Amino acid sequence: MLTRPMLTIYAARDLTIEAATSASGSGRTYGTKLINSPAKAASPKEIRRFLSSRHDRDILDGLRRVVSLLDQPIIILTVAQMMSRGVDCSEYFADVVKNVASPTLEIKKLVYIYLLTYAESEPDLSLLSINTIQKALTDQNQVVRAMAIRVMSGIKVPVISQIVALGIKRCAADMSPYVRKAAALAIPKCYRLDPSTLPVLVDYVSTLLGDKSYYVIGAAVMAWWEVCPDRIDLVHPHYRGLCKLLIDIDEWGQLALLRLLTVYARKNFPKVRTKSVKKRKTTSGTKGFYSDEESGDENVVESIDPDLKLLLDCCPPLLQSRNSAVILAVARVYYHLAPPIYLPKVAAPLLSLLRAPEDIQSIALTNIVFIALSYPSVFAPHATHFLVSAIDPPQIWKLKIEALTLVYPYASKDIQSLILNELSYYAGGYDKEMVREAVKAVGRCAQNNPEQSQRCLKLLMQHINSPDQTLVAECLTVIRHIIQQHPARHKKTVVRLAKALDTATNSAARASIIWLVGEFSGVDNGDNVAADVLRILAKNFADEAEGAKLQILLLAAKIYAHYLNRTQGGLADLTASEDESPEDTHPIPVLFNYISRLARYDVSYDIRDRARMYMSLLSTPKSSQLATLILLAPKPVPFAPSPSAAVREGLTVGSSAMMIGKDEFIRGYVSLPDWVSEADATSSKVRDPVVQDSGGYEEVRAVDRPKPQAAPVRAPVSAAPESAASVAKGKEANGKTLDEWLEEEEEEEEEESDEDDDKDEEGEESSEYETDSEEEEEEEETDDDDVKESTKMLPS
Amino acid sequence: MAGAVEALYIFDSQNSPILQHNWRHRPTASPQEYITSYISHPAPRPPLIYLSQLSPPTLLFNIVHNNLTFLSPVTSEVEPLLVLEFLHRIADVLEDYFGPPLIPSKIEGNYDIVAELLGEMCDDGLPANTEPNGLRDVVLPPSIMKKLLANVTLPSGSLDPFRAAPSTISTIPWRRANVKHNSNEMYLDLLETLHCTIAPSGRPIASRVTGTMLFTSRISGIPDMLLSIRTPTARGGGGVVLEAPVFHPCVRLSKWNAQPGQLSFVPPDGKFVLASYEVDMLPNFSPSTASQGFNPPVSVMTKLLQGTNSNEFEVRLTIPGSSPYCTVIPSQSAGSSAFARIAAQGAGATIPSQFLHGGPSTGSSSNPIMEDVSVRIPLPPHVRTVLNTRVSKGDFLHDTERNHIHWRLPNTAIVPGGSYTFKAEVVVKSGHEDGDDEEGKRSGKLLSNYDNNYNDGSSKAPSSGTATPAKEKEKDKKQPPSAQAIASMPRSVLLDFTIRGALLSGLKVDSLNIVGGKGIAESVKPYKGVKYISRAGDGSIEIRC
């Protein structure tokens, strides 16, 4: 009995393969594949014949063909194949649809698939099938019932909306959760079919949200999102039940529900207040918000709504989900709703997503970096997850490097040095882009953690002689940024850079270094290396490249301007006549004159022009104020933010909008609602399923939650620990070699660092600001008072 | 944030469309337009491509599975991972239905089933039923479908499966109803991948094992299982800790959280991923402590700038004399085919199904063996070729397309204490002559400087930037390698291996038992199999030079 029908099948297949072969002659690329595949091609006539056959098998066969057919007008495939290909198969509509009443489930299913695709184009004919489908709603088989409601709601013929709504009503009360789920999923379709059915649909949604079966809830929440996402009130009575069901429902339902609960929480609970008990120890090393929090929870008292706490407490098991989207959705809940102490829980699960395929990895990393922007310390213990592997594609390693720099200030000393070594390794790679990113990252490490900036500088200094121009240029830019941030700390670095001029050959690098030396030509009241550097550079001025020459000229001008300021400031009355005398024997004017004369006869007109400008500017004491403004204006301190910060700030964790960035638009993105104010927060009573006084609601206190990132504290300015010796040494700027200078500076720095330590005990956070303002003070002392107003001027 | 998947397009390796399926409204562009904008994006493509030129702006999600490109355009806000996870699920389900590997002809030959599956998995753009077992309840797999076609003409009798089967929907979402097997068996495959980064000094700076538990269950009824796993030492005792574990929904999390190491679950029928985890092999990292603790089972040393022209490099593989993974010399037949399979396997993320069953596995837990040791050496982009290659064992291949050298050891060479070298001279592309000798000298010093830092951990700052280079310069004077030579040396070496019969984390399965359930007779003693495989591949071990 078994063999005979099999034989006929094979015979039919042979025939159809033949047909396919003949058809493929006119076909494009598909011909060959068809011959190999067991797909049965047939002529439209043949398909019709199949569809009208009395035998189920033939109908099924024909239907399989119809369902596939789409997309390829040239080759006629089975209908099933045609549909999947995008071929228009509407010509078979009548033939297919008359099989809708077939008792055979498989046939029914294929007819349904067909109906869903083509009902729109043949509304009248589809109506004929409605009756049969409606009957199927009362079938004994739950699968048939569920399928019927799914298809009925999917037929895009607005006339039937009332029937569909009725069908949903019936199915929403079905015994089988499987059918109720299908009914819930039908609600959005019905709504799109005819928006006027909304009132009844909202009722159904409300009923289904209270369903006891984990099977239904997910679909009900999805329907809520599609139909009435503003009706938060529908959720109130079910809120606690939903939180408890969270763990049981399937992963897609969890996603929808987590979205719902996030919005719900924002709209109904006031922002969690963190009240930090001011129990500062007298020696409190105010390391910022985090150290407080991690050292002892008793320091932080949170008044958190018990219902919100319920949600937060129901989430942790979801962090063990195999679905990466669920893990990220929990991270969103914690990031946007919970006080920061909850966040460390999500760190390891988020990092576990890095085990996933590359596509998921890159999205997970983007979100990790986003969270790390606000809470870097959360990921600090896991820093080694972010080490770049040789096979990481650019979008991954960029994010990893960013993550490394973000966690850097919070990592242990060992990890910090590991991170710097890693970045230095990446900076030596062949990929120019990676080199650039790595060097920039070192710069960010330095700016985020000024204590370590010496090390970062050291790393960068190693690269300034590299033959790789990209690397050198990036390094010097970053070095300049670091030095500009804390000029007082890096006097020695400038000396070292100046020393590097002996060996550096790259003209751009030389130019950058000379500019930096120029910026430091005014420190210590002129008692610095600048003039000495100029003396050495003057020897080989003719051999320098144009860029370097320009900078040498500028350096000479700056040094001379400083010199003039000093001499005129101190000896204004006495030297008034002396200044007029052409013969000044001090080395600085001599050097300036020498260089500007050389420059006046240079081949480059730019250099000649500038030389003239500087000479005339500095020739008369009257214009020396103007010269100070132009040449010695303090430069704005550069700050390099983390690359993701600007693009993604304020977006929601785990959204597409965050992936594409703030500047792009995607339909339907709504940022999370703001926290409801305490006055508008709903009473917890609305969430009581049965009316009873819970009394659990607690008034929360209004104490500002500290900003996630440690707020910079401006400490009172204390006088800079200046080495008295260096000031006393006076103006003998020219008698020493660079090496001598370096040694001296080192000694000074040791003393300085001792002093720094003392300060650290008072407050590490504030030390960087102290140096800043101390530098400002110095500037003011050294330079003319007008300098203050000239801050906006561009670097000369 | 509605979260709907709108459409799916599958393209073959030639980027011709083989399947399209719309769940929601009309697409914003034709499949051709989507694939064109996909291809126009340069090679390592982000998983979501923003197409601003379409109206409304469209997000094009994409994954590549087995050379098939899955595209899913979405026009409104959706959680990106939702779409990607869903695309992966589709690929998994199709593979489950039609058997791995998923190839175009399997999809083309079963369009009706694919259409039914896609309709079940996603209703109106909302992901619904994605469990392979749950789907089997409602969509008949191809084998039964064929049988069905043969039997439809018969009067509805005992052989009519589809009237009976789908009407009973299992109450357990992940396990289909009425499971019956003639022979009951279950297999647990533990697969670990070692991810390790080794500094030029030879010391691991990060070392992590990621593990996956693959379970295959062919047990009748509804069995309730208990799996006990044991980590080498107890928690807190400095032993390994399974970090960030994730589980199949069937695992009872409360049991695991109460008693870590105990997995209690009612398995789905067939193959599935039970759990995955990771273990940090260097939990107390500190560069100042000596290089103790974990080391990879094969050590790799590199020497750069060798030879008279400083254009030679050497890679040395050493198998420790005390290696526990090669106590017995394996038979030669075991090796090469396995190598091919692993090499053929794409990005390490997909679960290598070939590990599930079959394959020439000679290793057992009592006698673990190491196989398929190979080394990949990525070359700098401006290296044209390598000359004068000398291999002390095995064969090598210069893959010019990806510009790396692949050196494979024969399995017979993997013996304790074995030590093999690969030497080659690099030839740089012409027109890449930059940097004079003087610069080269300085770069040479840079490199060694960096090494020093790595070795002493740099916790104490190197004395001063000016003093060291001066000394180094003198040292280098004898043989100054040009900048070009340095830039043409490989930066890192990638190591691959497979160990059958042992897990690097030291994890062991204590017991796997059916402790309850129904529909399974007491007398039935299912066959149990446990397999351990550790591997490294796809760049998971990187040795920096």
Side-chain angles (χ1 to χ4, degrees):
Chain A
M1 288 297 271
L2 259 171
T3 47
R4 223 167 25 136
M6 288 299 272
L7 275 177
T8 40
I9 290 267
Y10 283 131
R13 184 177 298 166
D14 289 345
L15 271 175
T16 50
I17 287 175
E18 235 171 85
T21 328
S22 61
S24 67
S26 57
R28 292 196 311 243
T29 48
Y30 292 102
T32 46
K33 260 177 235 146
L34 273 175
I35 299 162
N36 297 336
S37 72
K40 301 157 212 88
S43 69
K45 207 171 133 196
E46 218 177 330
I47 290 182
R48 286 225 172 78
R49 190 172 56 76
F50 273 130
L51 292 173
S52 314
S53 163
R54 272 183 299 138
H55 295 299
D56 278 359
R57 177 172 58 79
D58 291 344
I59 296 170
L60 198 52
D61 223 19
L63 274 170
R64 294 183 72 198
R65 294 159 195 234
V66 179
V67 173
S68 310
L69 230 146
L70 281 210
D71 189 38
Q72 286 300 307
I74 310 140
I75 310 163
I76 298 150
L77 299 170
T78 63
V79 183
Q81 282 160 344
M82 291 193 280
M83 278 175 62
S84 296
R85 283 259 164 94
V87 178
D88 185 15
C89 312
S90 49
E91 57 173 311
Y92 307 110
F93 200 93
D95 300 292
V96 174
V97 169
K98 71 185 172 201
N99 286 306
V100 75
S102 162
T104 310
L105 193 61
E106 282 308 305
I107 291 178
K108 247 197 178 77
K109 270 195 225 168
L110 292 176
V111 174
Y112 285 170
I113 291 174
Y114 182 88
L115 257 178
L116 288 180
T117 317
Y118 292 108
E120 220 172 348
S121 55
E122 299 274 354
D124 295 340
L125 278 175
S126 344
L127 287 181
L128 297 178
S129 65
I130 293 293
N131 205 17
T132 328
I133 299 174
Q134 220 179 344
K135 262 185 208 151
L137 287 177
T138 53
D139 195 284
Q140 284 176 324
N141 187 334
Q142 52 176 346
V143 180
V144 175
R145 293 202 300 272
M147 234 160 53
I149 189 66
R150 190 195 304 163
V151 173
M152 204 158 102
S153 56
I155 293 174
K156 295 179 184 115
V157 182
V159 194
I160 60 164
S161 64
Q162 292 305 322
I163 306 174
V164 176
L166 276 176
I168 293 173
K169 185 182 181 188
R170 167 189 275 275
C171 291
D174 199 284
M175 290 272 288
S176 156
Y178 187 75
V179 179
R180 293 206 297 276
K181 181 178 181 177
L185 289 173
I187 292 173
K189 289 185 270 185
C190 183
Y191 172 60
R192 277 202 299 274
L193 198 64
D194 180 6
S196 70
T197 51
L198 181 66
V200 277
L201 293 181
V202 169
D203 279 353
Y204 305 152
V205 170
S206 170
T207 323
L208 288 167
L209 277 177
D211 203 290
K212 290 284 172 283
S213 168
Y214 60 87
Y215 213 71
V216 183
I217 290 291
V221 174
M222 289 181 197
W224 180 86
W225 269 110
E226 296 273 332
V227 177
C228 50
D230 299 325
R231 292 291 301 275
I232 282 287
D233 57 298
L234 295 183
V235 186
H236 286 321
H238 310 303
Y239 172 79
R240 286 170 200 164
L242 289 176
C243 283
K244 284 170 188 151
L245 270 174
L246 193 54
I247 181 65
D248 292 322
I249 61 183
D250 73 277
E251 45 205 329
W252 313 112
Q254 284 172 347
L255 287 172
L257 186 50
L258 282 171
R259 276 200 304 267
L260 164 68
L261 293 174
T262 312
V263 172
Y264 182 90
R266 277 292 182 103
K267 285 191 174 169
N268 287 285
F269 305 120
K271 188 169 180 174
V272 177
R273 302 295 180 199
T274 311
K275 187 193 176 198
S276 42
V277 174
K278 306 265 182 202
K279 205 181 103 187
R280 294 262 159 87
K281 291 162 206 160
T282 40
T283 55
S284 70
T286 45
K287 274 199 118 179
F289 183 58
Y290 288 103
S291 55
D292 277 358
E293 179 183 282
E294 279 151 15
S295 61
D297 284 356
E298 74 274 358
N299 275 4
V300 178
V301 175
E302 270 136 12
S303 6
I304 182 166
D305 192 293
D307 281 327
L308 177 56
K309 196 165 184 313
L310 174 71
L311 167 62
L312 299 180
D313 291 344
C314 285
C315 283
L318 302 191
L319 289 171
Q320 292 173 332
S321 168
R322 62 172 167 167
N323 189 322
S324 55
V326 173
I327 293 180
L328 193 55
V330 175
R332 181 180 54 217
V333 168
Y334 283 165
Y335 179 85
H336 290 291
L337 299 181
I341 44 162
Y342 279 85
L343 270 166
K345 279 185 197 168
V346 299
L350 276 178
L351 291 164
S352 78
L353 301 185
L354 301 185
R355 312 198 286 254
E358 212 167 72
D359 42 277
I360 292 182
Q361 263 186 51
S362 80
I363 295 201
L365 262 176
T366 312
N367 284 286
I368 289 173
V369 166
F370 179 80
I371 295 175
L373 279 171
S374 323
Y375 304 102
S377 62
V378 170
F379 295 101
H382 309 280
T384 53
H385 276 88
F386 302 125
L387 297 187
V388 175
S389 150
I391 53 155
D392 283 337
Q395 72 256 27
I396 302 261
W397 61 248
K398 272 184 196 157
L399 289 165
K400 282 186 173 173
I401 288 181
E402 189 174 356
L404 283 177
T405 55
L406 285 173
V407 302
Y408 175 82
Y410 299 89
S412 67
K413 280 267 181 287
D414 292 337
I415 297 292
Q416 284 190 342
S417 76
L418 174 75
I419 291 175
L420 284 184
N421 276 327
E422 278 297 307
L423 290 175
S424 175
Y425 175 82
Y426 309 147
Y430 348 104
D431 185 348
K432 294 253 185 282
E433 206 178 349
M434 187 186 251
V435 168
R436 203 172 303 127
E437 288 293 326
V439 171
K440 279 183 186 156
V442 174
R444 288 200 302 273
C445 284
Q447 96 188 357
N448 293 341
N449 195 359
E451 284 78 29
Q452 291 277 317
S453 60
Q454 281 296 344
R455 264 212 77 192
C456 300
L457 269 180
K458 207 161 281 162
L459 273 181
L460 294 171
M461 300 283 281
Q462 287 176 8
H463 291 293
I464 55 172
N465 289 321
S466 157
D468 184 349
Q469 303 282 319
T470 334
L471 179 56
V472 173
E474 279 302 326
C475 275
L476 278 166
T477 316
V478 172
I479 289 176
R480 185 166 59 80
H481 284 194
I482 297 176
I483 292 180
Q484 279 181 289
Q485 270 152 18
H486 306 289
R489 285 175 183 222
H490 297 302
K491 285 183 225 162
K492 197 178 110 188
T493 314
V494 175
V495 177
R496 195 173 294 147
L497 275 172
K499 174 86 187 158
L501 277 176
D502 289 349
T503 48
T505 49
N506 180 334
S507 73
R510 290 181 72 85
S512 277
I513 297 172
I514 297 167
W515 183 85
L516 260 176
V517 171
E519 281 304 288
F520 278 74
S521 57
V523 296
D524 295 342
N525 211 14
D527 180 22
N528 58 51
V529 291
D532 200 33
V533 169
L534 182 63
R535 178 182 60 79
I536 295 166
L537 287 172
K539 287 186 202 162
N540 290 318
F541 182 80
D543 301 331
E544 298 282 356
E546 184 179 340
K549 277 182 184 169
L550 274 176
Q551 291 301 331
I552 295 173
L553 185 59
L554 180 62
L555 172 66
K558 281 178 181 169
I559 293 173
Y560 187 51
H562 276 299
Y563 168 77
L564 286 182
N565 280 330
R566 280 195 305 275
T567 48
Q568 285 171 358
L571 312 156
D573 301 328
L574 292 173
T575 55
S577 57
E578 255 182 354
D579 259 355
E580 299 300 319
S581 67
E583 296 300 313
D584 194 337
T585 49
H586 192 281
I588 289 179
V590 173
L591 268 172
F592 175 69
N593 285 333
Y594 175 69
I595 299 234
S596 48
R597 266 185 214 132
L598 281 179
R600 266 173 82 177
Y601 302 102
D602 199 88
V603 279
S604 158
Y605 58 84
D606 191 16
I607 293 179
R608 293 197 299 269
D609 287 353
R610 288 200 194 207
R612 277 190 203 99
M613 182 184 84
Y614 295 143
M615 282 175 76
S616 55
L617 201 58
L618 295 164
S619 59
T620 58
K622 278 170 206 155
S623 65
S624 74
Q625 270 200 7
L626 183 64
T628 308
L629 280 179
I630 292 176
L631 293 171
L632 308 176
K635 310 296 182 287
V637 175
F639 181 83
S642 215
S644 296
V647 200
R648 311 197 199 282
E649 197 189 358
L651 297 171
T652 310
V653 169
S655 63
S656 289
M658 199 186 76
M659 290 304 299
I660 58 176
K662 248 198 304 207
D663 304 331
E664 305 287 8
F665 164 79
I666 181 69
R667 198 171 63 174
Y669 173 76
V670 185
S671 53
L672 280 181
D674 288 334
W675 286 98
V676 70
S677 70
E678 276 170 53
D680 298 338
T682 48
S683 153
S684 74
K685 282 182 188 123
V686 299
R687 285 182 285 276
D688 292 340
V690 189
V691 182
Q692 60 170 27
D693 189 34
S694 69
Y697 192 73
E698 211 176 284
E699 270 299 313
V700 277
R701 273 156 295 182
V703 181
D704 275 339
R705 187 163 76 147
K707 280 263 155 38
Q709 263 171 329
V713 188
R714 240 179 200 281
V717 180
S718 64
E722 273 297 321
S723 161
S726 69
V727 180
K729 264 175 210 154
K731 296 164 192 168
E732 298 168 6
N734 309 315
K736 298 171 195 159
T737 66
L738 281 176
D739 280 329
E740 281 176 87
W741 272 108
L742 195 60
E743 278 162 27
E744 259 181 42
E745 292 281 345
E746 264 172 74
E747 284 164 25
E748 280 166 33
E749 188 158 277
E750 274 164 33
E751 288 168 42
E752 256 182 88
S753 63
D754 283 347
E755 299 256 7
D756 273 345
D757 289 346
D758 294 342
K759 267 194 294 173
D760 285 351
E761 278 161 37
E762 291 159 36
E764 284 176 35
E765 274 296 309
S766 54
S767 59
E768 64 175 284
Y769 297 95
E770 283 174 32
T771 44
D772 252 358
S773 41
E774 151 204 322
E775 180 61 24
E776 272 166 38
E777 275 192 352
E778 261 188 38
E779 291 261 4
E780 281 168 39
E781 282 165 15
T782 335
D783 303 333
D784 227 314
D785 281 356
D786 294 344
V787 171
K788 261 196 281 182
E789 283 146 38
S790 63
T791 38
K792 277 170 202 156
M793 292 187 67
L794 292 168
S796 46
Chain B
M1 297 241 280
V5 187
E6 289 169 15
L8 169 72
Y9 301 91
I10 303 181
F11 298 86
D12 65 12
S13 49
Q14 269 83 49
N15 295 318
S16 328
I18 51 173
L19 180 109
Q20 71 170 58
H21 192 101
N22 284 333
W23 282 291
R24 260 191 196 193
H25 44 77
R26 303 274 164 263
T28 48
S30 74
Q32 277 311 326
E33 285 174 71
Y34 287 130
I35 192 71
T36 315
S37 23
Y38 172 75
I39 297 166
S40 65
H41 229 85
R45 297 178 180 92
L48 136 170
I49 297 170
Y50 182 68
L51 304 176
S52 51
Q53 75 274 18
L54 296 180
S55 166
T58 303
L59 302 167
L60 191 59
F61 289 92
N62 57 82
I63 65 165
V64 177
H65 181 94
N66 221 8
N67 286 330
L68 296 177
T69 308
F70 289 59
L71 295 186
S72 177
V74 172
T75 55
S76 64
E77 170 64 38
V78 64
E79 288 159 287
L81 286 182
L82 181 147
V83 183
L84 292 175
E85 277 280 349
F86 183 67
L87 293 180
H88 283 288
R89 286 308 157 78
I90 290 177
D92 292 347
V93 165
L94 294 182
E95 206 150 74
D96 181 64
Y97 261 74
F98 308 125
L102 190 60
I103 50 172
S105 65
K106 284 181 182 165
I107 295 176
E108 285 170 338
N110 296 290
Y111 272 132
D112 49 341
I113 297 179
V114 175
E116 276 183 48
L117 283 173
L118 294 178
E120 278 293 331
M121 290 179 77
C122 186
D123 188 357
D124 186 38
L126 305 172
N129 185 1
T130 52
E131 288 295 334
N133 266 261
L135 287 168
R136 268 175 202 272
D137 275 345
V138 284
V139 181
L140 300 172
S143 54
I144 302 179
M145 192 70 166
K146 283 211 186 80
K147 223 184 274 172
L148 181 69
L149 275 171
N151 290 314
V152 168
T153 45
L154 301 174
S156 64
S158 57
L159 273 170
D160 185 5
F162 54 36
R163 287 300 297 169
S167 65
T168 50
I169 298 288
S170 168
T171 47
I172 305 167
W174 58 84
R175 187 170 176 85
R176 67 190 172 94
N178 303 324
V179 183
K180 279 199 178 67
H181 289 284
N182 289 332
S183 64
N184 287 293
E185 46 195 13
M186 51 192 180
Y187 302 95
L188 177 62
D189 293 31
L190 286 103
L191 177 66
E192 287 193 345
T193 307
L194 176 63
H195 297 265
C196 193
T197 309
I198 294 169
S201 63
R203 211 170 44 78
I205 48 177
S207 186
R208 188 174 302 113
V209 163
T210 60
T212 310
M213 298 183 194
L214 302 171
F215 203 90
T216 310
S217 124
R218 296 209 186 88
I219 310 277
S220 311
I222 304 171
D224 198 341
M225 302 201 181
L226 184 66
L227 167 69
S228 311
I229 51 175
R230 179 162 43 102
T231 51
T233 38
R235 264 167 193 274
V240 301
V241 180
L242 300 191
E243 284 170 27
V246 299
F247 299 105
H248 190 273
C250 69
V251 177
R252 294 185 183 99
L253 297 175
S254 51
K255 177 82 174 172
W256 170 271
N257 291 331
Q259 288 170 279
Q262 304 277 307
L263 284 102
S264 157
F265 57 98
V266 175
D269 191 48
K271 295 171 193 170
F272 65 101
V273 180
L274 179 64
S276 78
Y277 58 89
E278 64 188 60
V279 174
D280 191 353
M281 304 303 281
L282 292 172
N284 303 310
F285 173 79
S286 137
S288 45
T289 54
S291 81
Q292 44 158 334
F294 181 78
N295 277 309
V298 183
S299 76
V300 180
M301 295 299 281
T302 51
K303 279 186 193 162
L304 303 181
L305 303 167
Q306 304 290 298
T308 45
N309 296 326
S310 299
N311 60 352
E312 207 176 295
F313 65 89
E314 177 189 317
V315 177
R316 176 179 290 276
L317 275 182
T318 312
I319 294 144
S322 57
S323 170
Y325 306 122
C326 41
T327 44
V328 167
I329 297 165
S331 65
Q332 200 158 7
S333 64
S336 54
S337 62
F339 179 85
R341 276 176 319 181
I342 290 161
Q345 192 213 323
T350 50
I351 302 306
S353 46
Q354 71 268 21
F355 286 125
L356 277 176
H357 292 294
S361 95
T362 44
S364 66
S365 53
S366 60
N367 184 20
I369 58 157
M370 182 154 54
E371 299 175 342
D372 307 333
V373 176
S374 73
V375 163
R376 273 177 297 149
I377 309 160
L379 296 173
H382 54 270
V383 168
R384 185 159 54 92
T385 185
V386 287
L387 283 182
N388 245 339
T389 41
R390 282 144 290 162
V391 194
S392 66
K393 202 89 180 176
D395 51 356
F396 73 93
L397 186 90
H398 184 193
D399 181 344
T400 45
E401 196 182 329
R402 284 190 283 175
N403 200 22
H404 69 216
I405 293 169
H406 198 169
W407 168 37
R408 291 152 38 174
L409 273 191
N411 286 340
T412 46
I414 303 164
V415 291
S419 183
Y420 312 100
T421 54
F422 175 91
K423 285 184 193 173
E425 287 174 12
V426 292
V427 178
V428 179
K429 277 176 193 159
S430 56
H432 211 280
E433 310 263 327
D434 56 354
D436 52 354
D437 261 16
E438 216 191 340
E439 275 187 358
K441 217 188 296 168
R442 258 177 258 120
S443 314
K445 144 203 101 196
L446 280 185
L447 209 72
S448 40
N449 239 0
Y450 175 59
D451 258 5
N452 288 345
N453 281 353
Y454 244 119
N455 288 335
D456 58 33
S458 300
S459 42
K460 61 174 174 68
S463 50
S464 86
T466 47
T468 5
K471 274 183 242 154
E472 297 279 344
K473 221 191 281 179
E474 279 180 0
K475 218 196 289 174
D476 284 349
K477 245 170 200 164
K478 291 165 207 157
Q479 212 186 56
S482 70
Q484 191 193 341
I486 290 158
S488 57
M489 284 293 124
R491 296 267 298 160
S492 60
V493 171
L494 311 173
L495 171 70
D496 297 4
F497 61 80
T498 305
I499 296 169
R500 297 180 189 277
L503 293 181
L504 290 170
S505 68
L507 207 71
K508 283 262 177 350
V509 172
D510 258 355
S511 64
L512 171 61
N513 289 311
I514 298 177
V515 294
K518 54 187 175 184
I520 180 162
E522 290 275 324
S523 58
V524 175
K525 289 276 176 267
Y527 176 80
K528 295 180 224 172
V530 176
K531 201 193 278 181
Y532 301 119
I533 296 164
S534 299
R535 64 187 282 272
D538 306 313
S540 69
I541 300 189
E542 181 182 349
I543 297 107
R544 268 113 191 240
C545 6

